[in-house]
Amino acid sequence: MQYTSSWRSPSNIALIKYWGKHGIQLPRNPSLSFTLSVSHTDMTITVIPDVGNPQINVLYNGVEQASFVPKISSYFQLLKSHFKWIGSSHITIDSINTFPHGAGIASSASAMSALALCLYDIHAQINDGHKQNENWRLYVSEIARLGSGSASRSLFPTAALWGKAKGIGESNDEFAIPWKENISSIYQTYHDTILIVSASEKKVSSSAGHNLMTDLPYAKTRYKEAESNLLNLTDIMRDENKVNEFISVCESEALQLHALMLMGKNPYVLIEPNTLSIIKEVWNFRRETNTPVCFTLDAGPNVHLLYPDKYKIEVIDFIQSRLKKYCINEMIIWDKVGEGPVRLNQ
Ligand code: PMV
C-alpha cells in the first residue's frame, strides 16, 4: 500500500523575532509573524509503510538531495511517538520553493510546515481517515515546530503568535496560535516586498545563531525586550491608526536581531552594504513623503518592505526608481500577507 499527500505551505516573516531557544525548539521569547503567500513550498510526500528496508529520499526541484537526508532523519526520530509508522517506511519527499533556497527567506518555515502537514495527512490515511478536529492546525503547528521553530507559525491565515507571553492566556511554547482576529483590517492586506540583495546560501545556520544566545551577556535583557515589544505590538496592531508605532517596533526588532549577531563571542555579519543602502533610502523616503513603509529583516541580507495596500502605488514607484538597483539581478519578490496552507491533492 502506498499513501500520498501534497500541500502548499507559505513562509512567514517575523515582526517580533524568535532568536534563542532551549530544549527541543522551545523559544526563549514569544514571536509574532505575518503569514506570506507568494513565498511558499509545494511538497508531495509518498509513504510505503512496513518495508523491510526503511529509506528516506529527498528531492528538491526534482533533483535528489542526499545532503538534506540527515536533518530529515533526525526530525523523524523526534516524531516516532507521534507517527509509529515513520521509522519503518520508505518515504519520498519531493518539493519546490518559489524563492531561493537558504537566502534567509525562512525556507525552513515553509518546508517544515509543508512536511508536518503531509505527515499528519498520511497519518490520517494510514489510520483510516481519523477525523480532523478544529484544533488540527495547533497539533500540526507543534509537529512543525519540532522541525523548525519558525515553521510553527506558518499554519495560520494572516498572522500567528508563538511562545508564552504574559497576559495572553492561550499563548504557549509548544505551538503557535492564530492571530488574524486580533489585528486591524489594515494589516490583513499588508504587502511584504522582498528585495533580494543576495540569493546565495546563508553562511551561518539559524541553529548556530540561536546557540550564540546561550552565553551572550545581553540575552536576558533581549528576551525581556522581545516580550515587551510583542505585548506592545499586539496592542498597536489592534488599531489601524497606529501605523507609525508599528513601524518603530518592527524596525527596532529587525536591527536588534542583527545587533545580536554582532555581539556574540564569535560574531558574524549577515547584512550586506546594499542592505544598509536600502535601509537608508527607506528612512529618507519616509522623511520626505510620510509614506508608512518600513523594513524588517530575517536572518540574512534581504530586506522585507512592509506597507499598507492603500500606499502600494507610491511604494512600487519608490522601489522601481530607488531600490531595485540594490537587488541582485534586480530580483524582487512581490509578496503579501496570505491565507495559510492549501491542500494540493484531494
Ligand atoms: O526557525 P529557525 O530555527 O530557522 O529560526 C528562525 C529565526 C528567525 O527567522 C531569524 C526569526 C523568526 O522568528 O523567524
Side-chain angles (χ1 to χ4, degrees), residues 12-21 25 29 31-33 71 104-109 145 147-153 162 202 205-207 210 257-258 261 297-300:
N12 67 74
I13 180 67
L15 307 173
I16 303 296
K17 312 292 180 183
Y18 146 61
W19 202 240
K21 62 180 173 180
Q25 236 85 259
N29 66 263
S31 57
L32 179 68
S33 58
K71 188 172 176 199
I105 306 176
S107 60
S108 64
R145 185 209 96 223
S148 158
S150 57
S152 67
R153 299 186 309 241
W162 170 48
K202 276 196 285 189
S205 72
S206 52
S207 280
H210 291 292
L257 172 69
H258 286 264
M261 299 173 197
L297 303 164
D298 214 327

Side-chain angles (χ1 to χ4, degrees), residues 38-339:
V38 175
S39 305
H40 60 251
T41 297
D42 283 350
M43 182 177 283
T44 296
I45 86 166
T46 314
V47 174
I48 309 174
D50 289 328
V51 289
N53 183 18
Q55 207 179 315
I56 300 170
N57 290 93
V58 183
L59 287 91
Y60 178 66
N61 282 337
V63 181
E64 190 92 35
Q65 303 287 338
S67 64
F68 290 5
V69 174
K71 188 172 176 199
I72 301 286
S73 175
S74 355
Y75 176 48
F76 284 180
Q77 287 292 332
L78 292 176
L79 297 182
K80 272 186 167 161
S81 58
H82 295 267
F83 307 130
K84 297 240 165 0
W85 45 270
I86 211 160
S88 55
S89 302
H90 181 179
I91 303 177
T92 306
I93 302 168
D94 191 355
S95 68
I96 52 168
N97 284 350
T98 51
F99 52 91
H101 171 72
I105 306 176
S107 60
S108 64
S110 57
M112 285 301 180
S113 55
L115 183 53
L117 285 157
C118 291
L119 293 171
Y120 175 74
D121 200 24
I122 300 263
H123 185 68
Q125 293 177 42
I126 291 178
N127 292 289
D128 226 5
H130 85 155
K131 285 261 183 312
Q132 286 186 341
N133 63 33
E134 249 179 62
N135 290 334
W136 68 272
R137 276 179 207 260
L138 305 182
Y139 177 66
V140 178
S141 168
E142 181 171 356
I143 298 293
R145 185 209 96 223
L146 295 170
S148 158
S150 57
S152 67
R153 299 186 309 241
S154 275
L155 278 308
F156 306 94
T158 314
L161 188 150
W162 170 48
K164 184 83 204 129
K166 277 187 212 92
I168 303 183
E170 62 285 31
S171 66
N172 74 93
D173 288 349
E174 313 285 324
F175 50 82
I177 55 173
W179 206 247
K180 179 183 167 79
E181 304 306 325
N182 301 305
I183 59 180
S184 133
S185 59
I186 193 175
Y187 297 108
Q188 312 274 348
T189 54
Y190 238 61
H191 289 258
D192 177 3
T193 299
I194 311 169
L195 306 169
I196 309 294
V197 168
S198 164
S200 54
E201 195 81 25
K202 276 196 285 189
K203 282 177 240 67
V204 187
S205 72
S206 52
S207 280
H210 291 292
N211 288 342
L212 167 155
M213 295 298 285
T214 314
D215 48 1
L216 193 72
Y218 313 99
K220 277 211 177 98
T221 312
R222 161 62 197 161
Y223 302 141
K224 268 176 95 176
E225 169 83 354
E227 181 162 1
S228 129
N229 279 347
L230 179 127
L231 294 175
N232 200 0
L233 195 66
T234 53
D235 269 352
I236 289 168
M237 289 178 80
R238 286 180 214 279
D239 184 343
E240 69 169 301
N241 297 315
K242 291 197 172 161
V243 173
N244 286 338
E245 288 93 326
F246 171 84
I247 289 174
S248 143
V249 176
C250 284
E251 293 190 348
S252 166
E253 275 290 309
L255 295 173
Q256 280 186 40
L257 172 69
H258 286 264
L260 291 165
M261 299 173 197
L262 295 173
M263 291 192 294
K265 282 221 172 81
N266 298 300
Y268 60 94
V269 187
L270 292 182
I271 49 177
E272 299 280 345
N274 280 353
T275 314
L276 281 178
S277 299
I278 293 171
I279 290 175
K280 287 185 179 168
E281 292 273 10
V282 171
W283 284 342
N284 287 338
F285 178 71
R286 225 168 43 224
R287 254 196 305 270
E288 290 157 20
T289 66
N290 267 327
T291 310
V293 54
C294 70
F295 67 85
T296 188
L297 303 164
D298 214 327
N302 302 323
V303 182
H304 291 244
L305 280 192
L306 304 175
Y307 50 98
D309 191 55
K310 67 177 172 201
Y311 289 94
K312 69 173 176 232
I313 298 189
E314 295 92 312
V315 179
I316 291 171
D317 183 57
F318 164 56
I319 293 169
Q320 299 287 6
S321 60
R322 286 165 63 175
L323 301 182
K324 197 164 76 180
K325 61 178 183 245
Y326 299 114
C327 301
I328 184 99
N329 300 326
E330 301 192 343
M331 201 169 153
I332 294 173
I333 300 173
W334 300 93
D335 217 326
K336 275 194 87 167
V337 160
E339 285 306 300

